[in-house]
Amino acid sequence: LVAVLVPHRKTPKVGLGVQLSGCSSYSQAYKDEALALADRVGASAAARELGLQPSQLYQWRAKAQQQQSASAREQTLAEENARLKRQLAEKSEELEIAKKAAVYFAKSLK
């Protein structure tokens, strides 16, 4: 007989998504629902109910907040980029008008 060792996997509670693989990798849906539960009942109670360490929920929450703030930074940068593109187009147009005016006045001086 050959014994096959299967790593122990924590199984999520019903309705909280599925685990991807391994002991410490959970799907994003599971993490989102676990964080929602932690917001409703508190991190310690949610961790106890889900069989997790409270520190795991705190880490997931910190990472989610970090991603959210990165998304806000990206939005701010995109808005600034659009503003600068408009400003560049306006200045380019003003430069072209100034060049044409310079050529016109240079011809009239001759």
Side-chain angles (χ1 to χ4, degrees), residues 9-20 26-27 30 50:
R9 294 188 177 164
K10 297 177 185 175
T11 56
K13 300 267 183 186
V14 176
L16 289 179
V18 293
Q19 185 178 1
L20 289 176
Y26 295 93
S27 71
Y30 180 85
L50 297 172

Side-chain angles (χ1 to χ4, degrees), residues 54-90:
S55 62
Q56 184 67 56
L57 289 175
Y58 292 127
Q59 288 173 357
W60 290 349
R61 182 181 288 156
K63 186 174 180 182
Q65 289 172 345
Q66 189 178 39
Q67 288 173 342
Q68 205 170 33
S69 66
S71 175
R73 281 194 307 270
E74 288 173 4
Q75 178 63 30
T76 302
L77 289 174
E79 290 169 359
E80 183 180 12
N81 193 23
R83 180 185 62 80
L84 291 172
K85 283 182 179 182
R86 285 191 303 272
Q87 187 178 9
L88 177 62
E90 183 180 309

Side-chain angles (χ1 to χ4, degrees), residues 1-5:
L1 293 177
V2 177
V4 178
L5 297 176

